Structures are given as structure tokens and as C-alpha cells.
Amino acid sequence: MDDEYFMKQAIGDAKKYGLRFGAVVVKNNKIIAKAGKRPKGDARFHAETQAILKACKKLKTKTLKGCTLYTTCEPCPMCFYMAWITNISKIVYGATLRDSIKFGFPEIKVTAEFLNKRGGNKIKLKKKVLRMECLKLFKEN
């Protein structure tokens, strides 16, 4: 299993629930948590934050060192901070912040790369994995 496989899982979870954003947390090549169905209209319920919270609960820990967060869109500052504070080792994302802004989503123009640099570059970042498939979520929902 590779980055594309796990990104497809995040995309599939978003599609399953008719959402524009999806996320999964993976450890040792196994999905620990998915964002799944979540309330619409509440800013706290981003796919990334929900997947991270579920992973912490499942692993009975507050740290996710050794875990990778796969998300269909570049994390916003809130979601990046959740990954940073829980020691996520890697973030793989599809659509970019710029893509999100082009589709009219209200975003603070602060990239994950900028936040990572400011936080000591402790998270490995990989961008634009299955980007076109992730962008379809913006159009379909």
C-alpha cells in the first residue's frame, strides 16, 4: 500500500458521506481512523481534526508519532496545528490551499509549508497526491 492507496481511502470516505473533504490517519500501513460522517456547518468538524481525534482515542494516546495524515486538501492552520501538536510524522494532501480558495472556500492564506517551517519542519509534507481526484470532490458536493 502506498500514498495513492490511502488517499483513495480519504476520497472514498468523503464521497460516501457527500462531503468535500476527507481524511484518514495511518500507522504501520493500517488505517487507524477516518473522518467519517460529521456534522455540517460547524467549523470545528474538519475532516483532519476528526480523524486525528479518533486516532488518538483509538490508540489511547495524545501523540501520533509514526502516523501519517492523508487529507484531500492542504490542511488549514487549525488542522495543521492539530497534526503538529499531536506529533503526526507526515501529512500527505491532494488539493492545495490555492485550489480551495479558487473554489470559494473561506481560507486563511497560510500554507502548510509556511506553518511547518515556523514549527521547526518537524512534519514531512507531500503535496498534490491524486490532486485531480480530490478537486472533483469540490465540484461534486
Side-chain angles (χ1 to χ4, degrees), residues 1 6 25-32 59 64-68 70 89:
M1 292 181 261
F6 290 115
V25 175
V26 174
K27 185 169 188 173
N28 298 326
N29 248 3
K30 181 180 175 188
I31 294 175
I32 303 302
L59 296 174
L64 297 174
K65 191 169 183 145
C67 292
T68 300
Y70 291 87
S89 297

Side-chain angles (χ1 to χ4, degrees), residues 4 10 26 30 47 52 57 64-66 72-73 76 105 110-112 114 119-120 124:
E4 288 190 5
V26 174
K30 181 180 175 188
I52 289 168
K57 185 175 182 178
L64 297 174
K65 191 169 183 145
T72 58
C73 189
C76 71
F105 298 110
V110 179
T111 66
F114 174 81
K124 183 176 179 184

Side-chain angles (χ1 to χ4, degrees), residues 97-105 131:
L97 177 70
R98 185 172 281 170
D99 294 328
S100 183
I101 291 168
K102 284 181 184 177
F103 275 87
F105 298 110
R131 178 176 170 257

Side-chain angles (χ1 to χ4, degrees), residues 21-94:
F21 303 94
V24 298
V25 175
V26 174
K27 185 169 188 173
N28 298 326
N29 248 3
K30 181 180 175 188
I31 294 175
I32 303 302
K34 293 183 180 184
K37 189 171 183 175
R38 52 197 184 274
K40 291 184 179 183
D42 188 328
R44 298 171 298 167
F45 293 102
H46 287 200
E48 299 93 334
T49 60
Q50 294 308 293
I52 289 168
L53 289 170
K54 287 178 182 181
C56 287
K57 185 175 182 178
K58 184 171 183 176
L59 296 174
K60 297 178 182 165
T61 184
K62 292 180 182 179
T63 183
L64 297 174
K65 191 169 183 145
C67 292
T68 300
L69 172 66
Y70 291 87
T71 177
T72 58
C73 189
E74 182 174 0
C76 71
M78 175 182 72
C79 295
F80 182 87
Y81 181 72
M82 283 283 292
W84 189 83
I85 199 73
T86 58
N87 293 309
I88 290 270
S89 297
K90 182 179 178 183
I91 298 173
V92 177
Y93 61 90

